[in-house]
Amino acid sequence: MNVEKTLVLLKPCTVQRALIGEIIQIFEKKGLRVAGLKMMQLDDAILAEHYAHLVDRPFFPGLKASMMATPVVALALEGVEAIEVVRQMAGPTNGRKALPGTIRGDYSMSGQQNIVHASDGPESAAAELRRFFRPEEIFDWENPLDRSLYSDDGC
Ligand code: IDP
Ligand code: MG
């Protein structure tokens, strides 16, 4: 049973548009478990690390400013194959290209102000969870409803 944890950031555009609760509810309704949750103000250092693959792009200063405009909400979400499930739920980067039914497709008209960050694979999920959470801020809790979320073998 491939239970994974993945990192989601609710971006400042989401905080400003008062969509924090609505977006968290989408993940909860899907059956993803909230294993960690915190609000935090990002700075230059953490964004240079988090978006290291984009530091040389012309839009990087604007991206950084947009990610520091307000605090973000960081979520550690858990579930079977959670990393891929959450990426599918987020949809493609550009909200104008993302299909309706995805979070970006339903809530974003932008390639930058696109509501959520979601880890894109097992290595990045592990690194990003370490970047945004201390170990004691991520919780493993018993959920009796797991039996109605999954089959006995996790299917
Ligand atoms: P992802 O968030 O779908 O994984 P990445 O390519 O990793 O997409 O880019 C990280 C973030 O950088 C995007 O979510 C978006 O906010 C921003 N971004 C990506 N491409 C552009 C662009 O061309 N212009 C402005 N911002 C961009
Ligand atoms: Mg990415």
Side-chain angles (χ1 to χ4, degrees), residues 11 51 53-54 59 63 87 93 104 111-112 114 117-118:
K11 296 185 175 187
Y51 285 138
H53 59 300
L54 299 173
F59 59 80
L63 170 61
R87 282 291 284 193
T93 306
R104 287 163 168 173
Q112 180 175 90
N114 56 6
H117 165 83

Side-chain angles (χ1 to χ4, degrees), residues 83-94:
I83 298 167
E84 188 187 345
V85 168
V86 170
R87 282 291 284 193
Q88 295 283 353
M89 289 176 75
T93 306
N94 188 329

